């Protein structure tokens, strides 16, 4: 448990996996890319159903505005599908007086799918897998209802970003990166922009998915 908690802290502050995991003076000289067979084996090991949380990265607490979610990793297509992504989390970074924010806050849940791309890490920790976490086409589109009217919503994700604090005074660098260890998974889902109807917002917000496999 201490190891997993340590990994989570490393992800929250946006550090590189090897800086958190390698404590043996590894100088990366033994690094070798994963073979296709190794990638398939890691995806198979990670496959299954998960229950957990999605956290909006908050500059005060780092893990605020959490909402329970569930997802599945399927080995045939290397996909991770969140079944109940909370639409309200998209409202972060949009003015509180904006009608678009009000629409998103009442938006319920939607599904979002991402592709996992495992890659080799230099840790000696057995069973630790690292991967890139890319939403399909880096987009999500859906329609939501608010006060009897339908609104088209479009979300653009990114693979890296500088996510601003809630008061827009500073930022941290985040990457679409994830880890799996002892049936626990975590990964960054990076929201670049949100469009509600004809109104577009460059929100630049990072979220963290964290949970445990149920089977």
């Amino acid at each position: 448990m201490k190891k997993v908690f340590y990994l989570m802290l490393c992800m929250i502050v946006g550090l590189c996996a090897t800086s958190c995991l390698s404590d043996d003076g590894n100088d990366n000289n033994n690094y070798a890319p994963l073979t296709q067979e190794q990638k398939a084996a890691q995806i198979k090991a990670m496959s299954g159903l998960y229950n957990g949380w999605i956290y909006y990265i908050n500059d005060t607490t780092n893990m605020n505005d959490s909402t329970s979610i569930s997802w599945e990793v399927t080995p045939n297509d290397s996909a991770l599908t969140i079944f109940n992504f909370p639409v309200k989390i998209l409202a972060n970074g949009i003015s509180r007086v904006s009608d678009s924010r009000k629409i998103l806050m009442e938006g319920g849940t939607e599904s979002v799918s991402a592709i996992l791309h495992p890659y080799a890490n230099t840790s000696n920790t057995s069973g630790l897998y690292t991967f890139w976490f890319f939403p399909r086409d880096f987009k999500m589109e859906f329609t939501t209802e608010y006060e009897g009217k339908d609104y088209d919503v479009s979300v653009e994700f990114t693979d890296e970003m500088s996510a601003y604090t809630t008061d827009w005074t500073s930022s941290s660098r985040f990457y679409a990166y994830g880890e799996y260890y002892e049936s626990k998974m975590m990964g960054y889902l990076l929201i670049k922009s949100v469009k509600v109807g004809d109104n577009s917002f460059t929100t630049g917000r990072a979220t963290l998915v964290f949970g445990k496999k149920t089977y």
Side-chain angles (χ1 to χ4, degrees), residues 59-77:
D59 58 300
T60 303
T61 64
N62 277 335
M63 292 173 55
N64 201 9
D65 302 332
S66 61
T67 303
S68 62
I69 59 172
S70 59
W71 68 90
E72 182 178 16
V73 175
T74 49
N76 60 314
D77 55 2

Side-chain angles (χ1 to χ4, degrees), residues 43 46-48 50 69-83 111-117 131-136 178-180 185-189 209-210:
I43 292 292
M46 291 187 285
S47 65
Y50 293 76
I69 59 172
S70 59
W71 68 90
E72 182 178 16
V73 175
T74 49
N76 60 314
D77 55 2
S78 303
L80 183 155
T81 302
I82 299 174
F83 302 119
S111 63
V112 58
S113 182
I115 303 300
L116 304 185
H117 299 272
F131 53 87
W132 297 114
F133 182 48
F134 299 152
R136 291 184 185 273
E179 291 182 355
Y180 173 91
M185 178 178 286
M186 61 188 77
Y188 280 122
L189 192 60
V209 174
F210 178 74

Side-chain angles (χ1 to χ4, degrees), residues 28-40 42 117-122 130 132:
N28 295 341
N29 288 335
N30 295 323
Y31 176 85
L34 295 177
T35 65
Q36 290 301 317
E37 292 75 15
Q38 289 173 321
K39 291 180 181 180
Q42 291 191 8
H117 299 272
Y119 68 90
N121 63 70
T122 57
T130 52
W132 297 114

Side-chain angles (χ1 to χ4, degrees), residues 33-157:
L34 295 177
T35 65
Q36 290 301 317
E37 292 75 15
Q38 289 173 321
K39 291 180 181 180
Q42 291 191 8
I43 292 292
K44 183 177 180 180
M46 291 187 285
S47 65
L49 291 171
Y50 293 76
N51 286 330
W53 301 84
I54 185 167
Y55 300 91
Y56 161 56
I57 305 301
N58 178 283
D59 58 300
T60 303
T61 64
N62 277 335
M63 292 173 55
N64 201 9
D65 302 332
S66 61
T67 303
S68 62
I69 59 172
S70 59
W71 68 90
E72 182 178 16
V73 175
T74 49
N76 60 314
D77 55 2
S78 303
L80 183 155
T81 302
I82 299 174
F83 302 119
N84 51 350
F85 178 88
V87 172
K88 67 179 183 180
I89 210 166
L90 300 173
N92 289 299
I94 298 177
S95 171
R96 293 184 179 277
V97 299
S98 169
D99 288 339
S100 294
R101 180 183 176 88
K102 297 175 184 177
I103 292 167
L104 294 173
M105 290 298 293
E106 299 295 329
T109 62
E110 296 288 337
S111 63
V112 58
S113 182
I115 303 300
L116 304 185
H117 299 272
Y119 68 90
N121 63 70
T122 57
S123 171
N124 292 323
T125 304
S126 177
L128 171 67
Y129 303 140
T130 52
F131 53 87
W132 297 114
F133 182 48
F134 299 152
R136 291 184 185 273
D137 300 322
F138 289 92
K139 293 180 180 179
M140 177 173 68
E141 297 178 338
F142 58 92
T143 300
T144 189
E145 182 181 345
Y146 179 72
E147 295 186 344
K149 184 178 179 179
D150 289 336
Y151 293 87
D152 293 329
V153 179
S154 178
V155 183
E156 183 179 1
F157 299 98

